[in-house]
Protein backbone atom coordinates (compact mmCIF):
# COMPACT_ATOMS: atom_id res chain seq x y z
CA UNK A 1 0.00 0.00 0.00
CA UNK A 2 2.82 2.39 0.93
CA UNK A 3 4.55 1.64 -2.36
CA UNK A 4 1.31 2.37 -4.22
CA UNK A 5 0.90 5.67 -2.38
CA UNK A 6 4.46 6.69 -3.26
CA UNK A 7 3.89 5.67 -6.83
CA UNK A 8 0.62 7.66 -6.93
CA UNK A 9 2.41 10.71 -5.51
CA UNK A 10 5.18 10.33 -8.09
CA UNK A 11 2.61 10.05 -10.86
CA UNK A 12 0.83 13.19 -9.67
CA UNK A 13 4.08 15.13 -9.54
CA UNK A 14 5.06 13.83 -12.98
CA UNK A 15 1.75 14.75 -14.62
CA UNK A 16 1.54 18.21 -13.07
CA UNK A 17 5.16 18.93 -14.08
CA UNK A 18 4.57 17.71 -17.63
CA UNK A 19 1.46 19.87 -17.94
CA UNK A 20 3.35 22.87 -16.63
CA UNK A 21 6.13 22.34 -19.18
CA UNK A 22 3.75 21.96 -22.12
CA UNK A 23 1.58 25.06 -22.56
CA UNK A 24 -1.87 24.32 -23.96
CA UNK A 25 -4.41 26.68 -25.52
CA UNK A 26 -7.17 27.98 -23.29
CA UNK A 27 -10.79 28.19 -24.42
CA UNK A 28 -10.33 31.72 -25.74
CA UNK A 29 -7.20 30.68 -27.68
CA UNK A 30 -9.06 27.72 -29.12
CA UNK A 31 -12.05 29.84 -30.16
CA UNK A 32 -9.81 32.36 -31.86
CA UNK A 33 -8.13 29.51 -33.73
CA UNK A 34 -11.49 28.08 -34.82
CA UNK A 35 -12.69 31.47 -36.05
CA UNK A 36 -9.47 31.88 -38.04
CA UNK A 37 -9.73 28.40 -39.59
CA UNK A 38 -13.41 28.91 -40.47
CA UNK A 39 -12.71 32.33 -42.01
CA UNK A 40 -9.81 31.00 -44.09
CA UNK A 41 -11.91 28.03 -45.22
CA UNK A 42 -14.89 30.19 -46.20
CA UNK A 43 -12.63 32.46 -48.25
CA UNK A 44 -10.83 29.49 -49.85
CA UNK A 45 -14.10 27.73 -50.70
CA UNK A 46 -15.58 30.94 -52.14
CA UNK A 47 -12.44 31.53 -54.23
CA UNK A 48 -12.48 27.94 -55.49
CA UNK A 49 -16.20 28.29 -56.30
CA UNK A 50 -15.58 31.33 -58.46
CA UNK A 51 -12.40 29.86 -59.92
CA UNK A 52 -14.49 26.90 -61.09
CA UNK A 53 -16.92 29.17 -62.89
CA UNK A 54 -19.15 30.56 -60.13
CA UNK A 55 -22.93 30.45 -60.36
CA UNK A 56 -24.23 29.05 -63.68
CA UNK A 57 -27.88 28.23 -64.20
CA UNK A 58 -27.62 26.88 -67.74
CA UNK A 59 -31.00 25.63 -68.90
CA UNK A 60 -32.18 24.97 -65.33
CA UNK A 61 -35.01 27.02 -63.84
CA UNK A 62 -34.11 28.81 -60.62
CA UNK A 63 -36.64 26.70 -58.66
CA UNK A 64 -34.80 23.54 -59.64
CA UNK A 65 -31.48 25.00 -58.49
CA UNK A 66 -33.05 26.13 -55.22
CA UNK A 67 -34.68 22.72 -54.70
CA UNK A 68 -31.54 20.65 -55.23
CA UNK A 69 -29.04 22.96 -53.55
CA UNK A 70 -31.24 23.61 -50.52
CA UNK A 71 -31.69 19.87 -49.94
CA UNK A 72 -27.91 19.44 -50.10
CA UNK A 73 -27.52 22.30 -47.60
CA UNK A 74 -30.11 20.76 -45.26
CA UNK A 75 -28.26 17.42 -45.48
CA UNK A 76 -24.97 19.15 -44.62
CA UNK A 77 -26.53 20.95 -41.65
CA UNK A 78 -28.31 17.83 -40.36
CA UNK A 79 -25.31 15.52 -40.65
CA UNK A 80 -23.07 18.26 -39.26
CA UNK A 81 -25.29 18.48 -36.20
CA UNK A 82 -25.17 14.72 -35.68
CA UNK A 83 -21.38 14.79 -36.10
CA UNK A 84 -21.09 17.34 -33.26
CA UNK A 85 -21.29 16.30 -29.62
CA UNK A 86 -24.65 17.03 -27.99
CA UNK A 87 -24.89 20.07 -25.69
CA UNK A 88 -23.23 19.44 -22.35
CA UNK A 89 -21.00 16.65 -23.62
CA UNK A 90 -17.47 16.34 -24.90
CA UNK A 91 -18.22 13.02 -26.55
CA UNK A 92 -19.77 11.98 -29.82
CA UNK A 93 -23.37 10.93 -30.23
CA UNK A 94 -24.17 7.19 -30.19
CA UNK A 95 -22.59 5.20 -33.02
CA UNK A 96 -26.00 4.26 -34.41
CA UNK A 97 -26.84 7.93 -35.03
CA UNK A 98 -23.48 8.62 -36.66
CA UNK A 99 -23.74 5.60 -38.93
CA UNK A 100 -27.34 6.37 -39.88
CA UNK A 101 -26.54 9.98 -40.72
CA UNK A 102 -23.48 9.02 -42.77
CA UNK A 103 -25.18 6.20 -44.65
CA UNK A 104 -28.60 7.72 -45.29
CA UNK A 105 -27.60 11.19 -46.50
CA UNK A 106 -26.08 10.23 -49.89
CA UNK A 107 -29.01 8.02 -51.01
CA UNK A 108 -31.38 10.80 -49.97
CA UNK A 109 -29.45 13.27 -52.10
CA UNK A 110 -29.64 10.81 -54.99
CA UNK A 111 -33.41 10.58 -54.50
CA UNK A 112 -33.60 14.38 -54.53
CA UNK A 113 -31.72 14.38 -57.86
CA UNK A 114 -34.22 11.86 -59.27
CA UNK A 115 -37.14 13.87 -57.89
CA UNK A 116 -35.77 17.04 -59.49
CA UNK A 117 -35.40 15.24 -62.82
CA UNK A 118 -39.01 14.08 -62.56
CA UNK A 119 -40.29 17.53 -61.62
CA UNK A 120 -38.30 19.36 -64.33
CA UNK A 121 -38.03 16.82 -67.18
CA UNK A 122 -37.06 19.39 -69.82
CA UNK A 123 -33.59 20.45 -68.62
CA UNK A 124 -32.98 16.98 -67.17
CA UNK A 125 -33.25 15.25 -70.53
CA UNK A 126 -29.89 16.51 -71.85
CA UNK A 127 -27.13 14.01 -72.61
CA UNK A 128 -23.95 14.58 -70.60
CA UNK A 129 -20.69 12.92 -71.61
CA UNK A 130 -18.61 10.77 -69.25
CA UNK A 131 -15.77 13.27 -69.50
CA UNK A 132 -18.05 15.97 -68.09
CA UNK A 133 -19.17 13.60 -65.32
CA UNK A 134 -15.55 13.01 -64.36
CA UNK A 135 -14.45 16.65 -64.56
CA UNK A 136 -17.44 17.90 -62.56
CA UNK A 137 -17.09 15.05 -60.04
CA UNK A 138 -13.41 15.90 -59.54
CA UNK A 139 -14.26 19.57 -58.97
CA UNK A 140 -16.98 18.60 -56.49
CA UNK A 141 -14.54 16.38 -54.60
CA UNK A 142 -11.78 18.99 -54.52
CA UNK A 143 -14.21 21.62 -53.27
CA UNK A 144 -15.30 19.22 -50.52
CA UNK A 145 -11.75 18.61 -49.35
CA UNK A 146 -11.38 22.18 -48.09
CA UNK A 147 -14.27 22.12 -45.56
CA UNK A 148 -13.29 18.55 -44.66
CA UNK A 149 -9.76 19.63 -43.73
CA UNK A 150 -11.12 22.57 -41.76
CA UNK A 151 -13.47 20.30 -39.81
CA UNK A 152 -10.66 17.91 -38.96
CA UNK A 153 -8.22 20.67 -38.13
CA UNK A 154 -10.51 22.10 -35.48
CA UNK A 155 -11.43 18.71 -34.02
CA UNK A 156 -8.11 16.92 -33.98
CA UNK A 157 -7.85 14.38 -31.14
CA UNK A 158 -11.35 15.08 -29.85
CA UNK A 159 -13.16 11.79 -30.37
CA UNK A 160 -12.08 8.89 -28.20
CA UNK A 161 -15.30 6.93 -28.70
CA UNK A 162 -16.05 6.52 -32.40
CA UNK A 163 -13.42 8.47 -34.36
CA UNK A 164 -13.92 6.70 -37.70
CA UNK A 165 -17.69 7.07 -37.58
CA UNK A 166 -17.50 10.71 -36.54
CA UNK A 167 -14.98 11.19 -39.35
CA UNK A 168 -17.40 9.62 -41.81
CA UNK A 169 -20.16 11.96 -40.63
CA UNK A 170 -17.82 14.93 -41.00
CA UNK A 171 -16.96 13.68 -44.50
CA UNK A 172 -20.64 13.57 -45.36
CA UNK A 173 -21.06 17.07 -43.91
CA UNK A 174 -18.33 18.35 -46.23
CA UNK A 175 -19.99 16.34 -48.99
CA UNK A 176 -23.32 18.07 -48.40
CA UNK A 177 -21.71 21.51 -48.67
CA UNK A 178 -19.82 20.64 -51.83
CA UNK A 179 -22.94 19.08 -53.40
CA UNK A 180 -24.77 22.33 -52.68
CA UNK A 181 -22.07 24.30 -54.46
CA UNK A 182 -22.03 21.81 -57.33
CA UNK A 183 -25.75 22.35 -57.89
CA UNK A 184 -25.12 26.11 -58.06
CA UNK A 185 -21.98 25.87 -60.21
CA UNK A 186 -22.84 23.09 -62.65
CA UNK A 187 -25.32 23.88 -65.49
CA UNK A 188 -26.10 20.20 -66.17
CA UNK A 189 -29.39 18.88 -64.84
CA UNK A 190 -29.44 15.24 -65.99
CA UNK A 191 -30.21 12.92 -63.08
CA UNK A 192 -27.32 10.60 -64.01
CA UNK A 193 -24.90 13.51 -63.97
CA UNK A 194 -26.20 14.82 -60.64
CA UNK A 195 -25.91 11.39 -59.04
CA UNK A 196 -22.48 10.59 -60.47
CA UNK A 197 -20.81 14.01 -60.28
CA UNK A 198 -22.61 15.77 -57.40
CA UNK A 199 -23.67 12.96 -55.06
CA UNK A 200 -20.92 10.43 -55.88
CA UNK A 201 -18.13 12.59 -54.43
CA UNK A 202 -20.04 12.85 -51.14
CA UNK A 203 -19.70 9.08 -50.77
CA UNK A 204 -16.01 9.36 -51.51
CA UNK A 205 -15.65 12.17 -48.96
CA UNK A 206 -17.49 10.04 -46.39
CA UNK A 207 -14.94 7.27 -46.94
CA UNK A 208 -12.02 9.67 -46.75
CA UNK A 209 -13.57 11.14 -43.62
CA UNK A 210 -13.76 7.71 -41.98
CA UNK A 211 -10.07 7.05 -42.64
CA UNK A 212 -9.01 10.54 -41.57
CA UNK A 213 -11.25 10.27 -38.53
CA UNK A 214 -9.47 7.15 -37.37
CA UNK A 215 -6.09 8.80 -37.92
CA UNK A 216 -6.79 12.35 -36.76
CA UNK A 217 -9.76 12.47 -34.39
CA UNK A 218 -8.57 9.70 -32.09
CA UNK A 219 -6.59 10.88 -29.06
CA UNK A 220 -3.27 9.08 -29.19
CA UNK A 221 -0.44 8.67 -26.72
CA UNK A 222 2.65 10.75 -27.48
CA UNK B 1 -26.35 -10.82 -6.13
CA UNK B 2 -27.26 -7.39 -4.82
CA UNK B 3 -27.35 -8.88 -1.32
CA UNK B 4 -24.02 -10.53 -1.83
CA UNK B 5 -22.47 -7.36 -3.19
CA UNK B 6 -23.90 -5.29 -0.38
CA UNK B 7 -21.73 -7.25 2.06
CA UNK B 8 -18.68 -5.90 0.30
CA UNK B 9 -17.77 -2.95 2.51
CA UNK B 10 -15.74 -0.91 0.06
CA UNK B 11 -16.10 -0.50 -3.70
CA UNK B 12 -13.44 -2.59 -5.46
CA UNK B 13 -11.81 0.37 -7.19
CA UNK B 14 -11.20 1.97 -3.83
CA UNK B 15 -9.60 -1.22 -2.62
CA UNK B 16 -7.19 -1.18 -5.53
CA UNK B 17 -6.09 2.40 -5.07
CA UNK B 18 -6.25 2.53 -1.34
CA UNK B 19 -8.75 5.39 -1.39
CA UNK B 20 -11.80 4.75 0.75
CA UNK B 21 -13.38 8.19 0.50
CA UNK B 22 -16.21 8.85 -1.97
CA UNK B 23 -15.07 10.35 -5.27
CA UNK B 24 -15.61 14.11 -5.57
CA UNK B 25 -18.97 15.26 -6.85
CA UNK B 26 -18.88 15.45 -10.63
CA UNK B 27 -20.20 19.01 -10.73
CA UNK B 28 -17.24 20.20 -8.63
CA UNK B 29 -14.88 18.52 -11.05
CA UNK B 30 -16.73 20.01 -14.01
CA UNK B 31 -16.43 23.44 -12.43
CA UNK B 32 -12.70 22.92 -11.85
CA UNK B 33 -12.26 21.79 -15.45
CA UNK B 34 -14.20 24.80 -16.63
CA UNK B 35 -11.87 27.10 -14.68
CA UNK B 36 -8.90 25.28 -16.17
CA UNK B 37 -10.31 25.70 -19.68
CA UNK B 38 -10.65 29.42 -19.01
CA UNK B 39 -6.97 29.62 -18.09
CA UNK B 40 -6.77 29.01 -14.33
CA UNK B 41 -3.71 26.75 -14.37
CA UNK B 42 -3.98 25.92 -10.68
CA UNK B 43 -7.28 24.12 -11.31
CA UNK B 44 -5.49 21.28 -13.08
CA UNK B 45 -4.30 19.84 -9.75
CA UNK B 46 -7.93 19.77 -8.61
CA UNK B 47 -9.00 18.05 -11.82
CA UNK B 48 -6.17 15.58 -11.41
CA UNK B 49 -7.03 14.78 -7.81
CA UNK B 50 -10.66 14.20 -8.72
CA UNK B 51 -10.03 12.06 -11.77
CA UNK B 52 -6.76 10.18 -11.37
CA UNK B 53 -7.74 7.74 -8.59
CA UNK B 54 -10.89 6.74 -10.43
CA UNK B 55 -9.06 6.41 -13.73
CA UNK B 56 -6.29 4.43 -12.09
CA UNK B 57 -8.74 1.97 -10.58
CA UNK B 58 -10.52 1.60 -13.92
CA UNK B 59 -7.24 1.10 -15.77
CA UNK B 60 -5.70 -1.30 -13.25
CA UNK B 61 -8.80 -3.43 -13.65
CA UNK B 62 -8.62 -3.13 -17.42
CA UNK B 63 -4.90 -3.82 -17.82
CA UNK B 64 -4.09 -5.78 -14.64
CA UNK B 65 -0.80 -3.94 -14.77
CA UNK B 66 -0.29 -1.02 -12.41
CA UNK B 67 2.70 0.43 -14.27
CA UNK B 68 0.82 0.44 -17.56
CA UNK B 69 -2.27 1.82 -15.86
CA UNK B 70 -0.24 4.69 -14.44
CA UNK B 71 1.22 5.34 -17.87
CA UNK B 72 -2.28 5.56 -19.37
CA UNK B 73 -3.48 7.81 -16.53
CA UNK B 74 -0.57 10.14 -17.33
CA UNK B 75 -1.42 10.11 -21.04
CA UNK B 76 -5.11 10.68 -20.32
CA UNK B 77 -4.47 13.63 -18.04
CA UNK B 78 -2.09 15.14 -20.58
CA UNK B 79 -4.69 14.71 -23.32
CA UNK B 80 -7.16 16.59 -21.11
CA UNK B 81 -4.51 19.25 -20.52
CA UNK B 82 -3.83 19.64 -24.25
CA UNK B 83 -7.53 19.73 -25.13
CA UNK B 84 -8.61 22.01 -22.29
CA UNK B 85 -9.48 24.79 -24.71
CA UNK B 86 -12.10 22.55 -26.30
CA UNK B 87 -13.87 21.86 -23.01
CA UNK B 88 -17.32 23.32 -23.47
CA UNK B 89 -19.05 25.20 -20.64
CA UNK B 90 -21.51 22.84 -18.97
CA UNK B 91 -19.80 19.69 -20.29
CA UNK B 92 -18.94 16.74 -18.06
CA UNK B 93 -15.31 15.89 -17.53
CA UNK B 94 -15.72 12.40 -16.00
CA UNK B 95 -17.16 10.54 -19.03
CA UNK B 96 -14.71 12.42 -21.27
CA UNK B 97 -11.75 11.31 -19.17
CA UNK B 98 -12.97 7.70 -19.00
CA UNK B 99 -13.54 7.64 -22.76
CA UNK B 100 -10.02 8.94 -23.43
CA UNK B 101 -8.53 6.42 -20.99
CA UNK B 102 -10.48 3.59 -22.56
CA UNK B 103 -9.40 4.60 -26.06
CA UNK B 104 -5.74 4.83 -25.04
CA UNK B 105 -5.76 1.46 -23.33
CA UNK B 106 -7.50 -0.18 -26.30
CA UNK B 107 -4.84 1.30 -28.57
CA UNK B 108 -2.10 0.06 -26.25
CA UNK B 109 -3.56 -3.44 -26.50
CA UNK B 110 -3.86 -3.20 -30.27
CA UNK B 111 -0.27 -2.10 -30.67
CA UNK B 112 1.16 -4.92 -28.61
CA UNK B 113 -0.14 -8.20 -27.40
CA UNK B 114 -2.03 -8.22 -24.13
CA UNK B 115 0.36 -8.21 -21.22
CA UNK B 116 0.60 -11.18 -18.91
CA UNK B 117 -1.94 -10.53 -16.20
CA UNK B 118 -0.33 -9.64 -12.95
CA UNK B 119 -1.82 -10.13 -9.51
CA UNK B 120 -4.59 -7.68 -8.70
CA UNK B 121 -3.47 -6.95 -5.19
CA UNK B 122 -5.62 -9.45 -3.34
CA UNK B 123 -3.30 -9.28 -0.34
CA UNK B 124 -3.73 -5.53 -0.21
CA UNK B 125 -7.49 -5.93 -0.38
CA UNK B 126 -7.37 -8.34 2.54
CA UNK B 127 -5.14 -6.01 4.54
CA UNK B 128 -7.40 -3.09 3.86
CA UNK B 129 -10.53 -4.97 4.87
CA UNK B 130 -8.81 -6.08 8.04
CA UNK B 131 -7.64 -2.53 8.70
CA UNK B 132 -11.23 -1.38 8.38
CA UNK B 133 -11.96 -3.50 11.45
CA UNK B 134 -14.37 -5.66 9.53
CA UNK B 135 -15.57 -8.91 11.09
CA UNK B 136 -13.39 -11.84 10.11
CA UNK B 137 -16.26 -13.71 8.48
CA UNK B 138 -17.28 -10.56 6.58
CA UNK B 139 -13.73 -10.27 5.32
CA UNK B 140 -13.77 -13.87 4.18
CA UNK B 141 -17.14 -13.49 2.46
CA UNK B 142 -16.14 -10.24 0.85
CA UNK B 143 -12.91 -11.74 -0.45
CA UNK B 144 -14.74 -14.76 -1.78
CA UNK B 145 -17.35 -12.57 -3.46
CA UNK B 146 -14.69 -10.31 -4.91
CA UNK B 147 -12.72 -13.24 -6.32
CA UNK B 148 -15.81 -14.88 -7.78
CA UNK B 149 -17.02 -11.55 -9.12
CA UNK B 150 -13.74 -10.95 -10.94
CA UNK B 151 -13.78 -14.48 -12.38
CA UNK B 152 -17.38 -14.31 -13.49
CA UNK B 153 -17.07 -10.79 -14.87
CA UNK B 154 -14.18 -11.98 -17.02
CA UNK B 155 -16.47 -14.55 -18.61
CA UNK B 156 -19.09 -12.00 -19.66
CA UNK B 157 -19.14 -10.46 -23.16
CA UNK B 158 -16.95 -7.35 -23.27
CA UNK B 159 -19.80 -4.90 -23.87
CA UNK B 160 -21.82 -6.23 -20.92
CA UNK B 161 -18.82 -6.36 -18.62
CA UNK B 162 -17.71 -2.83 -19.43
CA UNK B 163 -21.21 -1.40 -18.97
CA UNK B 164 -21.58 -3.17 -15.64
CA UNK B 165 -18.15 -2.13 -14.39
CA UNK B 166 -18.49 1.50 -15.40
CA UNK B 167 -21.76 1.79 -13.51
CA UNK B 168 -21.22 -0.50 -10.53
CA UNK B 169 -17.50 -0.18 -9.95
CA UNK B 170 -16.48 3.18 -11.39
CA UNK B 171 -19.56 5.01 -10.18
CA UNK B 172 -20.62 6.48 -13.52
CA UNK B 173 -24.27 7.17 -14.17
CA UNK B 174 -26.01 5.22 -16.93
CA UNK B 175 -25.98 8.33 -19.13
CA UNK B 176 -22.24 8.83 -18.53
CA UNK B 177 -21.50 5.18 -19.27
CA UNK B 178 -23.52 5.48 -22.49
CA UNK B 179 -21.36 8.43 -23.57
CA UNK B 180 -18.15 6.55 -22.77
CA UNK B 181 -19.29 3.53 -24.75
CA UNK B 182 -20.74 5.53 -27.64
CA UNK B 183 -24.17 4.04 -27.35
CA UNK B 184 -27.61 4.88 -26.07
CA UNK B 185 -28.79 4.95 -22.47
CA UNK B 186 -31.25 2.15 -23.24
CA UNK B 187 -28.48 -0.05 -24.66
CA UNK B 188 -26.28 0.48 -21.60
CA UNK B 189 -29.17 -0.31 -19.27
CA UNK B 190 -29.81 -3.51 -21.17
CA UNK B 191 -26.14 -4.55 -21.17
CA UNK B 192 -25.70 -3.80 -17.47
CA UNK B 193 -28.93 -5.61 -16.66
CA UNK B 194 -27.84 -8.69 -18.61
CA UNK B 195 -24.49 -8.67 -16.83
CA UNK B 196 -26.26 -8.24 -13.50
CA UNK B 197 -28.60 -11.15 -14.20
CA UNK B 198 -25.75 -13.37 -15.36
CA UNK B 199 -23.74 -12.57 -12.23
CA UNK B 200 -26.73 -13.07 -9.97
CA UNK B 201 -27.26 -16.49 -11.46
CA UNK B 202 -23.69 -17.68 -11.06
CA UNK B 203 -23.17 -16.09 -7.64
CA UNK B 204 -26.46 -17.32 -6.24
CA UNK B 205 -24.70 -20.10 -4.32
CA UNK B 206 -22.86 -17.58 -2.14
CA UNK B 207 -25.10 -16.77 0.80
CA UNK B 208 -23.78 -13.79 2.75
CA UNK B 209 -25.95 -14.62 5.73
CA UNK B 210 -24.67 -18.17 6.18
CA UNK B 211 -22.71 -18.66 9.44
CA UNK B 212 -18.96 -19.09 9.03
CA UNK B 213 -16.37 -20.55 11.33
CA UNK B 214 -15.12 -17.81 13.64
CA UNK B 215 -18.25 -15.71 13.21
CA UNK B 216 -18.43 -12.90 15.69
CA UNK B 217 -14.68 -12.51 16.00
CA UNK B 218 -13.17 -9.18 15.07
CA UNK B 219 -10.64 -9.02 12.26
CA UNK B 220 -7.03 -8.57 13.27
CA UNK B 221 -5.22 -5.64 11.65
Amino acid sequence: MTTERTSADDLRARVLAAAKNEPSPTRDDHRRRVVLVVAITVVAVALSFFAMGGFRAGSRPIEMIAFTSSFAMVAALAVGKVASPPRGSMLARPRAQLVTASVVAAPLLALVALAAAAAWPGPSSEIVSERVHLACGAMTFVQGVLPLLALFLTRRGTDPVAPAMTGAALGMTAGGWTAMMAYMRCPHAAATHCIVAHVGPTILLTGVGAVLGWLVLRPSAR
Amino acid sequence: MLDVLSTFPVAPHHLLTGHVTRPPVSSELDAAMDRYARGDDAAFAEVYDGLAPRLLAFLVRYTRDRARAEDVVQQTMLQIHRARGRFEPGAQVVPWAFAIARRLVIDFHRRGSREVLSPTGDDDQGQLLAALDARADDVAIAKEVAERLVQELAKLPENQRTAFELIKQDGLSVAEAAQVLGTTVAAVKLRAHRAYEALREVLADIDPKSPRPGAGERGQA
Side-chain angles (χ1 to χ4, degrees), chain B residues 62-69 105 108-118:
Chain B
Y62 219 102
T63 60
R64 306 285 169 86
D65 179 339
R66 192 176 172 93
R68 173 163 284 191
V105 84
F108 265 124
H109 283 165
R110 279 190 179 144
R111 273 202 294 273
S113 59
R114 198 176 245 271
E115 292 285 308
V116 176
L117 299 185
S118 58

Side-chain angles (χ1 to χ4, degrees), chain A residues 52 133-147 174-183 185-186 193-194 196-202 205:
Chain A
M52 289 175 189
H133 288 331
L134 276 177
C136 183
M139 281 195 278
T140 308
F141 179 77
V142 168
Q143 244 177 350
V145 169
L146 294 170
W177 288 116
T178 193
M180 183 194 82
M181 286 183 286
Y183 279 122
R185 157 181 64 72
C186 173
H193 176 76
C194 292
V196 171
H198 301 177
V199 180
T202 69
L205 285 164

Side-chain angles (χ1 to χ4, degrees), chain B residues 194-216:
Chain B
R194 282 183 178 158
Y196 182 89
E197 288 297 317
L199 289 174
R200 191 170 71 168
E201 203 169 292
V202 293
L203 297 179
D205 58 314
I206 301 178
D207 179 4
K209 305 222 168 29
S210 66
R212 304 248 159 189

Side-chain angles (χ1 to χ4, degrees), chain B residues 160-173:
Chain B
Q160 290 180 20
R161 184 175 65 244
T162 311
F164 180 86
E165 288 179 340
L166 284 173
I167 295 166
K168 294 288 182 187
Q169 296 190 305
D170 297 311
L172 269 65
S173 69

Side-chain angles (χ1 to χ4, degrees), chain A residues 8-20:
Chain A
D9 291 343
D10 284 350
L11 177 64
R12 185 180 191 276
R14 230 169 33 232
V15 171
L16 295 186
K20 200 173 177 183

Side-chain angles (χ1 to χ4, degrees), chain A residues 188-217:
Chain A
H188 303 293
T192 318
H193 176 76
C194 292
I195 291 171
V196 171
H198 301 177
V199 180
T202 69
I203 298 169
L204 204 56
L205 285 164
T206 305
V208 171
V211 175
L212 277 179
W214 178 252
L215 297 173
V216 177
L217 298 182

Side-chain angles (χ1 to χ4, degrees), chain A residues 74-85:
Chain A
V74 168
L77 289 172
V79 181
K81 186 162 175 58
V82 174
S84 307

Side-chain angles (χ1 to χ4, degrees), chain B residues 80-154:
Chain B
I80 289 171
H81 161 69
R82 289 179 196 123
R84 67 169 164 167
R86 297 190 180 110
F87 188 77
E88 290 295 324
Q92 296 174 302
V93 68
V94 171
W96 185 39
F98 271 81
I100 293 172
R102 186 165 179 265
R103 165 58 56 198
L104 292 175
V105 84
I106 287 171
D107 286 353
F108 265 124
H109 283 165
R110 279 190 179 144
R111 273 202 294 273
S113 59
R114 198 176 245 271
E115 292 285 308
V116 176
L117 299 185
S118 58
T120 54
D122 286 344
D123 291 345
D124 289 345
Q125 291 182 19
Q127 284 171 14
L128 182 64
L129 286 163
L132 287 169
D133 203 21
R135 288 158 51 111
D137 55 338
D138 287 347
V139 173
I141 292 169
K143 280 192 75 173
E144 188 183 343
V145 171
E147 283 162 12
R148 283 287 301 277
L149 188 63
V150 169
Q151 287 167 9
E152 298 301 335
L153 270 171

